[in-house]
Structure formats: C-alpha cells, structure tokens
Amino acid sequence: MRKILLLGAIMTAATNLLFVLLAQYPPDIVTLAVVVSADNLSGGIANVALIAWLSSMTSASFTATQYALFSSLMTLPGKFLGGFSGIVVADFGYAQFFLVAGVMGVPAILLAIFMMRQGKRLDALAPRKKEEIEPGSEPALRES
C-alpha cells in the first residue's frame, strides 16, 4: 500500500508541473483535456491510497470517529492554503503558481519514502485487528 502512496504523491506533483507547461503555450483543448485527465487520475490514486492507509490505522472500536478525524485532517491543509491561491496567481502568474504547487509535493514524496523504509515500526503502531488477537490473550473484564 505504501508504494501506491508514493506513486500517488509523485503523480500528483508531476501533474502540477504539467499545468506549468500548459500555462506556457497557446490554448489547446486537447492538451488541456490530457492534463486535466492526468491530474484527476493522479488525485484519485493518491486519495484512494491515503484513505485505504488511514482506514488500516483505525481501531475497530472507534472506526467512525477516527476515520472522520483523519479524513478531515487530510483535507485541512489543502483547503486552508487553497484560499490564498488567487493571491499567488494574481501576483506571480499561473506558471509560477503551479511550479510552487509541484514543489510542495516534495514533502509528501519524502514522507511516503520514509513510510516505506520504516514500515515495520509503523505497522507496530497500528491497532491489532480482532482476527489477529489470539484467543485467551484478551484482558479479562473486572466485575464490580
């Protein structure tokens, strides 16, 4: 799953760089369709991989709450920074905006590489699933 996270991060950053190229040339509907399609594909891969990973990190006892919090936190930085995008475009232009957006993907790529290298340590932090718990190893409930 972590390889797909890395692929999604790379593809998302790369498609932002495709928008840089698009801003440099005269308008062409076919090129626009290809770039937007690539952007949608990369965003879809990245989002599905991240949601699958977040789901694997939730505890069965608190799945709905943890998933709601994780998925909300996942979109918060983009929503916050997206509010300033118009200012950046007005001051610097579309090409520079998408160049900065592509460069902002580098931390996500580095994080995915870190996750791949530290996989066993991260897996140890994930909650154990019920089928992984051995019978009789669950703590006994105390009677009051």
Side-chain angles (χ1 to χ4, degrees), residues 8-64:
I10 291 170
M11 288 177 65
T12 301
T15 56
N16 280 320
L17 298 178
L18 287 177
F19 280 107
V20 172
L21 292 175
L22 191 64
Q24 301 297 318
Y25 293 101
D28 178 37
I29 193 74
V30 174
T31 307
L32 176 64
V34 169
V35 171
V36 169
S37 297
D39 186 52
N40 288 335
L41 176 66
S42 68
I45 289 172
N47 284 334
V48 167
L50 187 57
I51 288 170
W53 181 74
L54 288 175
S55 296
S56 74
M57 296 301 290
T58 60
S59 168
S61 303
F62 307 104
T63 304

Side-chain angles (χ1 to χ4, degrees), residues 2 7 10 15 19 48-49 60 64 68-70 75 79 106 108 115-116 127 138-140 144:
R2 291 182 185 98
L7 176 67
I10 291 170
T15 56
F19 280 107
V48 167
L69 287 170
F70 287 157
T75 60
K79 299 293 183 191
V106 171
M115 288 173 57
M116 289 174 65
E138 297 180 45
S144 319

